[in-house]
Amino acid sequence: HTKYKNKLKHYVFLFPGRILCHLEPCGAAEVNQAVEAAKKAFINWSKLSGMERGRVMIEAAHLIEGKREEIAEMEVVNNGKSITEARLDVDSARLCIEYYAGLASTLAGQHVQLPGGSFAYTCREPLGVCAGIGAWNYPFQIAAWKSAPALACGNSMVFKPSPVTPVTAAMLAEIYAKAGAPEGLFNVVQGGQETGSLLCQHPDVAKVSFTGSVPTGRKIMEMASKGVKPVTLELGGKSPLLIFKDSDLENAVKGALMANFLSQGQVCSNGTRVFVQRDIFPEFVSEVVKRTQAIEIGDPLLESTRMGALVSRSHLHKVLGFVEQAKKEGATVLCGGEPFVPSHPKLRGGFYMTPCVLGDCRDEMTCVKEEIFGPVMSVLSFETEEEVLRRANDTTMGLAAGVFTRDVRRAHRVVEQLKAGSCFINNYNITPVEVPFGGFKTSGIGRENGQVTLEYYTQLKTVYVEMGDVESLF
Ligand SMILES: NC(=O)c1ccc[n+]([C@@H]2O[C@H](COP(=O)([O-])OP(=O)(O)OC[C@H]3O[C@@H](n4cnc5c(N)ncnc54)[C@H](O)[C@@H]3O)[C@@H](O)[C@H]2O)c1
Ligand SMILES: C[N+](C)(C)CCCC=O
């Protein structure tokens, strides 16, 4: 704690209910300083070959591997999630850096033959200083998912983590520096919305990649539009999971739990509207409730713990408020939805709750319409494929969607009609770094991960080459 206290100064955050460190929000002077450092680093970094940039990134990935446990433990303290999940987040961050290290040398353009021996070629050039702004649910992973493609393409980055979870992005900065990245290539500024706004509006920031809520995403886009800057927006969701009667029930139940309870339910892509075909509804619900009640809650640093603490007191109250609202609107709490006080005295101030399954839900209820961002699953029954597709798509958001069925033709037919950017067949919340991730509708613009993201961190230059004489009309 002392180490980070000295480094990061005065911003306050809590775990479990205690102050961990104080950090000072960065103002205009610090943001300018970070952007200036990134501008300097960009000059040489952008001139390196992809292979050379890839080498530094591979070294960063090795360092992450060596510090896996240290980073994961710090992420637990930072965020409250279980150590088991934090390790997987660190692995995803490392794999992402490794993956883009490999892709760095594949950046290439096209050669276009034209009449008279003339030709044109295209090349992908980096954008410059990119700003990354992160949410608090996957702090280390988000910093890696943004920085890896940005750096691979020859950009530099100023990253602002959420003020609620400021620590592990700073660890990533230390790792890049140790791996041989030039000074200022990846900078971390601390603070909340004011610091974020300063970054978005900075004239020397060429692009903003944002992960967070839909309302903040709108503001980010508005600010970026003033400078005509491209944005990547990874926003919220209220995703549907469709379970047909011919599903493998065991897998469908496991899928529903994976779709709702990772990271204490604080996952953008969560499939929180679980539509179950009427014939298997009672059996499915009884199994889901039984397994939800068996989820071990408590000290997130223990190996046996499967659910840690929510991120803050105010967020816990917000999530419990959604459960209360659901009850008022006629939903039945089938399990959970209560504050949870672990037996160990050191955890008493933590922000724990029991994971919740809501029954008797209707499509118009708040719990079915709004993103709760906590461990609350709403189960709904349906009769026909046509009906469930209409209801599943009846949302302004479109981040993810899932379908469980043994009928391969139904699976593809259904997915084809789902209005969501990231779809899963017979699983849920699986996000390999090789695969693009992102949303339709208000859930966002652009993608993270996969080859396509190279396009979001570069701009295309076209060069026409005349091999004859100029034929002037004048
Ligand atoms: N699609 C995805 O990949 C993805 C991933 C994780 C989280 N999320 C979404 O994030 C939300 C939860 O995260 P959150 O509460 O941290 O979101 P948030 O929108 O409140 O904040 C996100 C980040 O934006 C910063 N910010 C806030 N106002 C700003 C402003 N006016 N200008 C610039 N920066 C500003 C915050 O300090 C924070 O760093 C959920 O809606 C969740 O679905 C989406
Ligand atoms: C790795 N998960 C669990 C799919 C999370 C992706 C990032 C969204 O919050």
Side-chain angles (χ1 to χ4, degrees):
H1 295 190
T2 316
K3 187 170 158 206
Y4 287 96
K5 194 171 177 179
N6 290 340
K7 273 206 163 94
L8 303 175
K9 303 186 188 154
H10 301 137
Y11 208 90
V12 180
F13 70 107
L14 309 164
F15 174 88
R18 294 195 301 269
I19 293 174
L20 176 66
C21 70
H22 298 262
L23 301 169
E24 190 175 327
C26 292
E30 292 83 11
V31 168
N32 286 341
Q33 200 182 339
V35 173
E36 212 41 53
K39 264 170 76 181
K40 281 204 186 103
F42 175 75
I43 297 169
N44 290 331
W45 182 254
S46 59
K47 291 197 184 98
L48 295 181
S49 68
M51 195 79 98
E52 288 167 314
R53 290 197 294 269
R55 258 181 231 131
V56 173
M57 294 176 68
I58 286 288
E59 181 55 24
H62 285 320
L63 292 172
I64 291 174
E65 198 168 18
K67 285 174 173 280
R68 182 183 192 236
E69 207 53 27
E70 191 191 331
I71 302 167
E73 280 179 16
M74 190 48 83
E75 195 71 316
V76 171
V77 176
N78 204 19
N79 167 277
K81 66 175 68 188
S82 74
I83 185 74
T84 309
E85 285 195 44
R87 287 186 192 120
L88 298 178
D89 295 0
V90 176
D91 292 345
S92 169
R94 171 181 57 79
L95 289 167
C96 184
I97 294 171
E98 253 176 61
Y99 173 69
Y100 283 105
L103 283 185
S105 58
T106 69
L107 275 176
Q110 256 189 328
H111 179 273
V112 186
Q113 285 184 322
L114 295 167
S118 293
F119 62 95
Y121 62 90
T122 63
C123 46
R124 294 225 150 255
E125 294 193 354
L127 301 164
V129 178
C130 297
I133 298 180
W136 44 256
N137 59 340
Y138 284 86
F140 190 75
Q141 183 190 283
I142 290 174
W145 281 18
K146 294 196 184 308
S147 60
L151 303 191
C153 292
N155 304 285
S156 53
M157 179 164 265
V158 180
F159 185 82
K160 189 197 82 60
S162 165
V164 187
T165 53
V167 177
T168 46
M171 295 176 91
L172 183 61
E174 289 172 359
I175 286 165
Y176 277 132
K178 210 165 169 198
E183 201 184 325
L185 187 70
F186 178 77
N187 312 268
V188 174
V189 290
Q190 299 289 356
Q193 68 175 69
E194 280 167 30
T195 313
S197 307
L198 285 165
L199 263 182
C200 295
Q201 294 175 58
H202 199 293
D204 292 332
V205 165
K207 179 212 165 83
V208 184
S209 176
F210 170 77
T211 296
S213 63
V214 177
T216 311
R218 281 200 187 94
K219 291 186 199 157
I220 300 279
M221 198 169 170
E222 211 176 299
M223 287 186 277
S225 75
K226 304 264 164 35
V228 199
K229 296 174 192 180
V231 287
T232 295
L233 299 178
E234 294 291 348
L235 309 180
K238 188 71 196 178
S239 301
L241 174 57
L242 282 50
I243 297 176
F244 286 90
K245 63 182 178 191
D246 64 354
S247 304
D248 175 319
L249 195 73
E250 170 69 12
N251 279 326
V253 168
K254 285 197 219 158
L257 300 178
M258 286 296 284
N260 279 274
F261 298 135
L262 285 174
S263 203
Q264 297 75 246
Q266 303 162 136
V267 183
C268 52
S269 48
N270 270 0
T272 48
R273 292 184 292 142
V274 180
F275 293 97
V276 186
Q277 205 156 21
R278 192 171 299 285
D279 316 54
I280 57 161
F281 191 81
E283 198 186 343
F284 175 88
V285 171
S286 126
E287 199 52 34
V288 156
V289 168
K290 192 174 95 197
R291 297 203 197 180
T292 303
Q293 285 170 323
I295 293 173
E296 190 140 342
I297 316 165
D299 186 344
L301 286 166
L302 290 182
E303 296 296 332
S304 57
T305 296
R306 283 294 164 269
M307 186 171 284
L310 274 71
V311 78
S312 65
R313 191 181 310 282
S314 62
H315 191 63
L316 172 65
H317 287 154
K318 191 172 154 194
V319 174
L320 293 172
F322 271 110
V323 177
E324 285 310 307
Q325 179 71 19
K327 286 197 250 178
K328 279 190 202 134
E329 291 178 22
T332 307
V333 175
L334 301 175
C335 67
E338 303 280 346
F340 176 80
V341 183
S343 52
H344 198 294
K346 82 166 183 181
L347 302 174
R348 294 255 163 89
F351 317 127
Y352 298 90
M353 70 175 278
T354 49
C356 177
V357 180
L358 293 174
D360 295 318
C361 295
R362 294 185 315 277
D363 293 0
E364 66 278 14
M365 285 178 177
T366 312
C367 62
V368 182
K369 289 198 108 51
E370 290 184 24
E371 185 184 45
I372 297 176
F373 221 56
V376 183
M377 174 196 305
S378 297
V379 284
L380 304 116
S381 72
F382 72 92
E383 300 274 2
T384 68
E385 187 179 309
E386 189 199 3
E387 170 211 337
V388 76
L389 275 166
R390 179 180 41 74
R391 292 168 64 194
N393 286 330
D394 185 18
T395 165
T396 55
M397 292 183 265
L399 183 53
V403 53
F404 274 83
T405 173
R406 281 196 178 97
D407 178 343
V408 72
R409 285 195 288 185
R410 185 204 296 278
H412 292 285
R413 186 171 65 231
V414 164
V415 158
E416 202 241 341
Q417 294 174 79
L418 285 169
K419 307 285 180 232
S422 302
C423 293
F424 305 95
I425 295 176
N426 291 335
N427 210 331
Y428 205 93
N429 265 339
I430 304 298
T431 50
V433 296
E434 303 92 324
V435 180
F437 178 79
F440 283 7
K441 301 197 264 183
T442 58
S443 290
I445 294 177
R447 293 291 176 269
E448 291 193 309
N449 294 340
Q451 282 191 27
V452 72
T453 297
L454 297 177
E455 292 175 24
Y456 294 108
Y457 282 99
T458 51
Q459 50 197 336
L460 195 68
K461 180 176 275 179
T462 303
V463 182
Y464 173 86
V465 183
E466 180 59 65
M467 295 299 280
D469 293 324
V470 174
E471 282 181 25
S472 174
L473 293 178
F474 307 102

